[in-house]
Amino acid sequence: GMGEGGAKALCDVLRRLGDGYRHLQQYRGKEAIAAFEKLSASEGNTAWVQVQTGTAYFNMAQYQMAEQSFQKARKLEPSRVVGMELYSTVLWFLKKEHELCYLAQELVALDKTAPQTWCVLGNCFSVQREFETAIKFFQRAIQVCPSFTYAYTLAGHEHVSNEDFEKATASFRSSLRTDERHYNAWYGLAIIYLKQEKYQLAEYHLRRALAINPRNSVLYCYLGIVLLSAGSCFEALQVLQDAIDLDPANPLAKLRKAMALSHLDRNLEALEELEQLQQLAPRESMVYMQMGKILKKLGRLQEALACFNHAIDLDPKGGNAVKAQIDRLQMQDVEEDDSFL
């Protein structure tokens, strides 16, 4: 046999794996990752551990870190299919079209009966904005495995991209019928209500998502956008700060926080947020556009004009909105429009 020492060592490994898995099921990503990192190099060097780690990062919307874990998992076990649907969504978020299509080809060769394979194929077409084809593949995943929750959610997001909110709602509801703790579907429904300007419903569904997964900066960010749109600027500010605390590099949260501050007439603070954001996203025309609006409010018209011109240089296609802002610089008394989406 393995002797007492060996048995104890095995129990220790199993306990750490169990701890990590339990934290992961409770959406405590940091703790899950910490538990897996306590494993020795040889114990942690399995595809299963790497997929769990990747999933933890995915749930916290830390896609670059997730990508590294999923890549390791594939190196360790090239024939692995389970978990690859999340890897494909990570690649989708990172806009890595080439890697995503390669993953799809590999999985088709490995297993055409697995719902994961069809989800990866769907994401491969989704990233190319071929929504109809993507939906067909997600439906195929549901056909081969009707209890595969994630396929309903992915189909829902495609319907949203297609502006088909009725079908999207049905998809997300099917998702929650198979697993009511599937936070992505609560989030999906919230996005629909946000687009329909049903802010109370959007807030309710985002809070349901956050009750399940409280470590995801993107969920806080969207809750902030909903609260801003509903005119609760002060509350929005707190929620957006939560988003930034969870992920200091989340540019969307910083941008919305600046807008909330500006709404509360805390324009210098708003400007400071945007200056920090410039460091994070120096090529983002939207940042200069917002800076221009705030400088205009502060009566610093030359600087505002410089920001608007820079925004046009960065994004000539979006130039019309900026030109309208420049026209308004000449007519100081025009009412501001501040749409948040």
Side-chain angles (χ1 to χ4, degrees):
M2 62 164 65
E4 211 169 297
K8 186 183 177 306
L10 181 63
C11 285
D12 281 346
V13 172
L14 289 173
R15 194 180 65 245
R16 281 182 203 131
L17 291 172
D19 277 348
Y21 189 68
R22 191 184 75 244
H23 286 306
L24 187 63
Q25 295 308 306
Q26 299 299 321
Y27 292 96
R28 291 194 294 264
K30 274 203 179 94
E31 292 86 338
I33 291 161
F36 292 132
E37 279 172 351
K38 283 190 189 130
L39 295 162
S40 72
S42 62
E43 294 154 3
N45 219 5
T46 67
W48 188 85
V49 169
Q50 292 306 323
V51 165
Q52 306 309 312
T53 305
T55 304
Y57 282 122
F58 173 84
N59 288 336
M60 295 190 290
Q62 293 180 13
Y63 301 122
Q64 259 114 2
M65 296 298 289
E67 182 192 20
Q68 290 174 22
S69 300
F70 284 119
Q71 276 172 343
K72 280 185 204 153
R74 289 215 68 214
K75 276 206 184 73
L76 290 161
E77 195 188 318
S79 64
R80 188 183 176 90
V81 174
V82 175
M84 293 303 111
E85 72 284 4
L86 289 185
Y87 181 28
S88 75
T89 299
V90 166
L91 292 171
W92 185 95
F93 274 115
L94 297 173
K95 296 283 169 261
K96 297 207 167 175
E97 214 171 296
H98 181 75
E99 289 88 335
L100 183 45
C101 291
Y102 179 69
L103 179 67
Q105 283 171 346
E106 296 263 289
L107 288 185
V108 168
L110 276 172
D111 189 353
K112 288 192 187 67
T113 64
Q116 291 88 346
T117 296
W118 298 103
C119 286
V120 173
L121 263 167
N123 270 334
C124 176
F125 281 91
S126 171
V127 84
Q128 298 169 52
R129 305 193 66 75
E130 295 191 30
F131 305 130
E132 294 300 332
T133 314
I135 289 167
K136 281 200 186 86
F137 284 126
F138 295 138
Q139 282 168 342
R140 188 66 210 274
I142 290 163
Q143 246 178 338
V144 297
C145 181
S147 64
F148 197 70
T149 308
Y150 196 45
Y152 296 100
T153 296
L154 289 170
H157 287 306
E158 293 308 302
H159 288 308
V160 170
S161 302
N162 247 348
E163 302 278 316
D164 190 339
F165 297 143
E166 208 172 314
K167 278 186 181 157
T169 301
S171 294
F172 292 132
R173 294 215 183 286
S174 301
S175 198
L176 292 169
R177 261 202 302 281
T178 62
D179 175 12
E180 62 168 10
R181 281 178 52 72
H182 190 66
Y183 74 91
N184 321 56
W186 290 106
Y187 159 75
L189 287 167
I191 296 298
I192 294 171
Y193 291 126
L194 175 59
K195 284 176 180 284
Q196 295 173 333
E197 298 182 13
K198 298 177 180 169
Y199 300 127
Q200 269 179 308
L201 280 166
E203 180 184 350
Y204 168 78
H205 284 79
L206 276 166
R207 289 197 188 279
R208 288 293 299 257
L210 278 162
I212 298 161
N213 180 2
R215 305 283 177 84
N216 185 311
S217 68
V218 175
L219 296 178
Y220 283 104
C221 195
Y222 274 98
L223 181 56
I225 292 171
V226 167
L227 291 165
L228 270 181
S229 305
S232 315
C233 293
F234 192 72
E235 205 184 342
L237 202 54
Q238 291 169 302
V239 168
L240 290 166
Q241 190 54 54
D242 288 336
I244 293 166
D245 292 342
L246 280 169
D247 181 7
N250 180 341
L252 189 58
K254 271 196 166 328
L255 180 63
R256 304 300 177 183
K257 185 185 170 190
M259 289 161 111
L261 284 165
S262 172
H263 255 258
L264 295 164
D265 272 323
R266 288 158 63 178
N267 292 304
L268 289 170
E269 287 171 78
L271 208 50
E272 207 175 305
E273 284 294 330
L274 290 171
E275 279 159 4
Q276 288 172 18
L277 186 51
Q278 254 178 333
Q279 311 293 309
L280 279 174
R283 314 243 355 112
E284 207 42 72
S285 68
M286 189 67 176
V287 177
Y288 290 94
M289 174 91 159
Q290 288 304 322
M291 281 178 99
K293 283 186 179 182
I294 289 166
L295 288 162
K296 181 182 141 188
K297 272 184 162 182
L298 290 166
R300 289 154 62 177
L301 301 187
Q302 283 316 107
E303 291 169 81
L305 188 58
C307 280
F308 289 141
N309 282 326
H310 197 65
I312 290 180
D313 291 341
L314 286 171
D315 180 19
K317 284 204 293 290
N320 289 341
V322 187
K323 288 193 186 95
Q325 289 294 333
I326 293 175
D327 292 342
R328 285 194 200 155
L329 273 179
Q330 274 81 49
M331 325 179 322
Q332 266 299 281
D333 50 356
V334 174
E335 259 316 290
E336 272 300 306
D337 84 294
D338 265 317
S339 54
F340 287 110
L341 278 171

